[in-house]
Amino acid sequence: MTTSNSDLPALVPTCATQEIEACLDAAGRRRLFGFISGETGRSKTLTCRHYAASHADVTMIELPAAVNSAELVRLVAESLLGNDFGTQRANRAEIRKYLKSRRHTIIIDEANQLLHSANSRTIVKNLEFIRRDLYDLTGTAVVLIFTGYTLADLRHGSLSGFLEQFRGRIGFPLQIKGLRKRGEVEPIV
């Protein structure tokens, strides 16, 4: 997604936006796998949009509802390279080639959509593409943004064994708490 900061609504600095920016900075600088989670309305998406708009080496991808593996790979190819190369295999190869040749950070917003498939094979394929193709094979920083999920949520359920390998790569987990401090609410209103 390429947007200039002037096209975005103003971002009001809060404790949460500062924590998100610090997570994104650390992930990019150290090529980490990041995980940001928090309640709706904590400015996760807007902060990431501003961050991506002001950093040429950052691509933000906002996932559609219940994305399948072919859509995910195509969406990443189009977001990074501006092109769909026709097949998943071709898209994956072009994505890896591109990412291996440069330092980059990928932010994937609405990552919950990766977990909303009735088919557990689709969930595994989506997460494996992110883990293996984007992160492991290219050394690219990847930050997943979740609403309503925590790392603890990923430890339970039918995919917990697979997700252990996935969770083990998370180098910067950030759980944003709900609005609780008066000093955080006042700048917004």
Side-chain angles (χ1 to χ4, degrees):
M1 179 172 122
T2 54
T3 304
S4 73
N5 280 342
S6 62
D7 295 334
L8 297 170
L11 180 65
V12 177
T14 65
C15 296
T17 62
Q18 292 168 356
E19 288 177 335
I20 293 166
E21 289 172 353
C23 177
L24 296 172
D25 282 340
R29 190 173 51 257
R30 296 173 38 210
R31 294 185 177 195
L32 296 174
F33 197 98
F35 177 97
I36 299 174
S37 179
E39 298 172 9
T40 300
R42 294 311 322 255
S43 294
K44 298 180 302 293
T45 299
L46 185 59
T47 302
C48 290
R49 285 177 182 163
H50 274 271
Y51 191 88
S54 62
H55 292 80
D57 61 342
V58 175
T59 299
M60 181 172 175
I61 301 167
E62 298 182 45
L63 296 181
V67 65
N68 67 40
S69 55
E71 290 172 311
L72 176 62
V73 173
R74 181 187 47 74
L75 187 58
V76 172
E78 289 173 350
S79 297
L80 287 173
L81 305 165
N83 196 11
D84 173 7
F85 295 91
T87 67
Q88 276 197 60
R89 184 179 305 269
N91 281 332
R92 286 174 186 255
E94 291 299 323
I95 290 165
R96 285 191 305 266
K97 185 169 106 180
Y98 175 81
L99 292 174
K100 285 179 180 178
S101 71
R102 64 192 32 82
R103 191 175 188 101
H104 206 78
T105 299
I106 298 173
I107 301 168
I108 300 178
D109 191 30
E110 297 295 337
N112 328 12
Q113 300 305 324
L114 299 168
L115 307 175
H116 288 177
S117 173
N119 181 342
S120 62
R121 290 185 68 208
T122 299
I123 295 170
V124 169
K125 282 175 76 174
N126 284 345
L127 295 175
E128 277 296 283
F129 167 68
I130 293 167
R131 180 190 69 82
R132 189 78 181 134
D133 288 85
L134 300 184
Y135 182 72
D136 285 351
L137 295 177
T138 68
T140 298
V142 176
V143 181
L144 301 179
I145 313 298
F146 287 88
T147 300
Y149 279 89
T150 66
L151 283 175
D153 294 327
L154 300 180
R155 287 189 179 103
H156 307 289
S158 61
L159 293 173
S160 61
F162 163 74
L163 292 173
E164 178 60 37
Q165 186 178 39
F166 189 75
R167 281 192 328 271
R169 284 169 173 70
I170 297 173
F172 201 118
L174 174 60
Q175 177 66 48
I176 299 167
K177 297 185 177 25
L179 289 170
R180 292 192 173 88
K181 298 177 185 174
R182 180 179 179 170
E184 189 174 1
V185 176
E186 285 176 346
I188 298 170
V189 291

